[in-house]
């Protein structure tokens, strides 16, 4: 009897030992699973590094297959005169183009002054004829085109009102909304020279029955600044409306942590205000800011959500981001040489289709043209593939190549002597 019990005991030990070895083999096999040579369609269910885990959070593991990844190509716009580049004429901050009766319309900030800007640091010296910055003493103009490459300037859309109305000093940075057969231009309305306290100004809106105008005053201070101590207490810039979920989603920029005596600690973020009528009232998102990075605003419907180009400033600059609800954004791709002040042609920006198709071209600006003391801005066209209806492999490449001169132009300047001296001390 004892012998039988002993044999059973030994048998159980052998069975358990075998199972243990088998389980250990499975564990080792899982832990040591190599990432496959063929790209998986979905994230593997075995342990990955943090970077490889994150790769499957993008719309596609490969950037070339990512509908929200693109390269950008640029073309000079034909049809605009800049007075020989003497700094007295500047065009910047275009609105998104809209197509009406076979003709594209865009609106933009135009400065035509007797002299070039003297600089924000000298704002106290600015007069009614001497601008402080490139966006001081400006009006909003518009131009039309049949192909998006050559444009014909038509005239003023919104002129600076008489003092003391908001915008008497300058009106700038417009964007367009089409709503119930009417046209609404949102823009910054300055009542002091830019640089006096920074760029403090409210957002105003003008209304027209035709894209060519005439434009009539709609409302001043349509998006109120935040309360004292809130991030957007001073600055609400770059109004950028789209229609989403049947409402007007108006995104804007705020510059904060910036004080008259502490200008170098600033931060930039983007907020959202929502309304059911173009004249408001606009209710700000309780989660504002909705983006921790960016400078100019560029939002557009995409699939059943909202996407955005995050162009400058912050840790997440030079990215395309996507949000299913228009509020909570995540990085969809990292991009190179994005257009500054990008204004894409997005036919469904105001249709509330619930199926945003993206875009393949738009307009933007380049600042600091000409000599330093004659600085001005120009507008340009960009092309890309952020469209669900376009398949252009040339825009899906992963590299942008430049001649060496492009890099050498980013020289050290006056810092070179300091670096040379530091190197000598090290030796």
């Amino acid at each position: 009897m004892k012998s039988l019990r002993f044999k059973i005991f030994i048998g159980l030990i052998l069975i358990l030992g075998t199972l243990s070895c088998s389980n250990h083999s499975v564990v080792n096999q899982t832990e040591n699973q190599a990432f496959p040579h063929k790209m998986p369609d979905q994230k593997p269910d075995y342990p990955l590094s943090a970077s490889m885990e994150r790769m499957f959070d993008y719309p596609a593991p490969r950037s070339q297959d990512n509908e929200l990844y693109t390269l950008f190509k640029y073309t000079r716009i034909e049809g605009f005169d800049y007075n020989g580049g003497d700094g007295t004429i500047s065009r910047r901050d275009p609105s998104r183009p809209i197509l009406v009766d076979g003709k594209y319309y865009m609106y933009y900030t135009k400065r035509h002054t007797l002299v070039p800007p003297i600089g924000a640091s000298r704002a106290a010296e600015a007069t009614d004829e001497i601008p402080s910055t490139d966006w001081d003493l400006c009006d909003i103009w518009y131009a039309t085109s049949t192909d998006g490459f050559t444009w014909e300037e038509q005239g003023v859309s919104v002129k600076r009102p008489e003092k003391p109305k908001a915008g008497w000093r300058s009106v700038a940075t417009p964007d367009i909304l089409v709503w119930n057969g009417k046209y609404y231009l949102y823009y910054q309305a300055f009542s002091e020279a830019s640089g006096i306290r920074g760029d403090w100004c409210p957002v105003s809106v003008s209304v027209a029955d035709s894209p060519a105008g005439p434009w009539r005053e709609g409302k001043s201070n349509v998006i109120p600044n935040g309360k004292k101590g809130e991030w957007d207490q001073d600055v609400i810039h770059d109004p950028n409306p789209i229609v989403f979920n049947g409402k007007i989603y108006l995104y804007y920029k705020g510059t904060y942590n910036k004080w008259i005596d502490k200008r170098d600690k600033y931060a930039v973020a983007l907020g959202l205000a929502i309304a059911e009528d173009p004249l408001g009232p606009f209710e700000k998102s309780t989660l504002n800011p909705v983006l921790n990075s960016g400078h100019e605003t560029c939002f557009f419907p995409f699939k059943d959500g909202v996407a955005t180009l995050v162009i400058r400033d912050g840790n997440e600059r030079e990215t395309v981001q996507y949000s299913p609800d228009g509020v909570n954004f995540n990085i969809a791709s990292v991009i190179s040489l994005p257009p500054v002040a990008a204004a894409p042609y997005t036919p469904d920006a105001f249709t509330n289709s619930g199926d945003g198709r993206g875009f393949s071209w738009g307009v933007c600006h380049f600042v600091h043209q000409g000599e330093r003391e004659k600085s001005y801005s120009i507008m340009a066209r960009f092309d890309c593939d952020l469209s669900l209806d376009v398949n252009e492999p040339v825009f899906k490449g992963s590299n942008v190549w430049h001649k060496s001169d492009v890099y050498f132009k980013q020289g050290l300047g006056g810092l070179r002597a300091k670096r040379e001296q530091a190197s000598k001390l090290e030796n």
Side-chain angles (χ1 to χ4, degrees):
M1 189 69 178
K2 289 182 178 179
S3 176
L4 178 61
R5 285 199 294 265
F6 179 75
K7 290 179 180 180
I8 292 172
F9 175 72
I10 294 298
L12 288 172
I13 290 176
L14 291 174
I15 291 171
L16 291 172
T18 301
L19 289 173
S20 175
C21 290
S22 176
N23 289 338
H24 183 67
S25 176
V26 169
V27 170
N28 284 340
Q29 184 179 5
T30 300
E31 290 178 350
N32 297 327
Q33 177 72 49
F35 193 83
H37 184 270
K38 182 179 180 180
M39 178 70 73
D41 293 328
Q42 297 180 342
K43 183 165 60 178
D45 60 359
Y46 47 79
L48 299 172
S49 67
S51 179
M52 294 303 286
E53 285 261 2
R54 191 167 62 247
M55 186 173 72
F56 290 92
D57 293 335
Y58 295 106
R62 292 186 347 126
S63 60
Q64 296 90 332
D65 304 321
N66 186 345
E67 292 284 8
L68 284 175
Y69 168 79
T70 188
L71 298 177
F72 299 91
K73 308 291 183 181
Y74 295 89
T75 307
R76 291 183 181 272
I77 284 180
E78 298 179 16
F80 290 135
D81 170 65
Y82 289 94
N83 214 25
D86 66 357
T88 61
I89 295 179
S90 182
R91 296 179 183 87
R92 55 181 295 145
D93 294 304
S95 74
R96 72 177 79 235
I98 58 172
L99 181 62
V100 182
D101 296 331
K103 189 181 293 185
Y104 296 107
Y105 292 76
M106 73 167 169
Y107 310 85
Y108 48 90
T109 303
K110 182 180 179 181
R111 176 181 56 78
H112 191 175
T113 49
L114 295 176
V115 296
I118 59 175
S121 62
R122 297 174 58 191
E125 303 172 41
T127 69
D128 289 346
E129 295 183 337
I130 299 176
S132 60
T133 62
D134 197 26
W135 51 94
D136 188 27
L137 297 181
C138 293
D139 299 297
I140 294 171
W141 286 58
Y142 81 106
T144 59
S145 174
T146 57
D147 61 11
F149 289 92
T150 300
W151 292 80
E152 182 179 355
E153 192 161 68
Q154 300 295 337
V156 177
S157 289
V158 179
K159 187 175 179 59
R160 282 169 279 165
E162 294 295 323
K163 191 176 183 178
K165 286 188 176 181
W168 70 265
R169 179 71 193 186
S170 189
V171 287
T173 322
D175 211 349
I176 188 75
L177 168 70
V178 182
W179 181 270
N180 290 339
K182 293 185 183 297
Y183 301 85
Y184 297 83
L185 271 177
Y186 296 87
Y187 49 89
Q188 297 169 203
F190 289 90
S191 293
E192 63 183 26
S194 175
I196 295 292
R197 291 181 295 173
D199 270 330
W200 291 13
C201 66
V203 168
S204 293
V205 58
S206 292
V207 191
D209 298 316
S210 161
W215 296 86
R216 55 189 180 274
E217 183 179 346
K219 188 175 182 180
S220 297
N221 199 23
V222 67
I223 310 171
N225 289 83
K227 298 176 182 177
K228 192 68 174 177
E230 296 180 345
W231 74 287
D232 56 359
Q233 69 171 34
D234 297 327
V235 171
I236 293 184
H237 287 177
D238 295 276
N240 182 216
I242 64 172
V243 177
F244 182 63
N245 288 337
K247 297 181 180 181
I248 300 162
Y249 276 52
L250 197 153
Y251 296 91
Y252 63 92
K253 177 185 76 177
T255 303
Y256 64 106
N257 202 42
K258 182 177 182 179
W259 311 94
I260 295 175
D261 59 342
K262 198 183 298 183
R263 303 293 299 279
D264 61 336
K265 303 298 181 183
Y266 77 95
V268 181
L270 304 186
L272 167 65
I274 302 172
E276 296 184 359
D277 184 278
L279 303 182
F282 279 90
E283 183 177 348
K284 295 179 182 178
S285 171
T286 57
L287 295 181
N288 273 352
V290 297
L291 281 177
N292 62 40
S293 301
H295 196 88
E296 298 89 357
T297 50
C298 178
F299 291 80
F300 56 99
F302 193 79
K303 296 185 176 180
D304 59 353
V306 177
T308 178
L309 293 184
V310 183
I311 300 165
R312 296 193 294 148
D313 292 323
N315 289 318
E316 295 180 358
R317 65 191 180 278
E318 298 192 343
T319 62
V320 180
Q321 300 198 24
Y322 176 77
S323 168
D325 61 5
V327 176
N328 297 285
F329 288 85
N330 289 298
I331 296 174
S333 73
V334 178
I335 50 178
S336 301
L337 291 180
V340 176
Y345 171 59
T346 47
D348 55 11
F350 316 123
T351 62
N352 195 41
S353 69
D355 181 27
R357 307 306 295 173
F359 61 89
S360 62
W361 70 276
V363 287
C364 62
H365 72 209
F366 291 101
V367 300
H368 303 311
Q369 303 297 297
E371 302 173 16
R372 185 172 182 179
E373 64 275 9
K374 298 179 180 180
S375 181
Y376 64 101
S377 301
I378 64 172
M379 295 191 300
R381 173 183 167 124
F382 69 88
D383 284 79
C384 62
D385 181 1
L386 289 172
S387 171
L388 297 173
D389 302 317
V390 171
N391 181 22
E392 292 284 358
V394 68
F395 292 112
K396 296 298 185 180
S398 57
N399 293 299
V400 180
W401 299 102
H402 301 290
K403 292 183 178 180
S404 57
D405 285 350
V406 173
Y407 295 93
F408 292 140
K409 285 182 179 179
Q410 315 301 314
L412 282 171
L415 184 58
R416 175 172 174 169
K418 181 179 180 181
R419 292 292 173 90
E420 286 178 339
Q421 182 64 25
S423 296
K424 290 177 181 178
L425 293 175
E426 289 178 356
N427 295 328

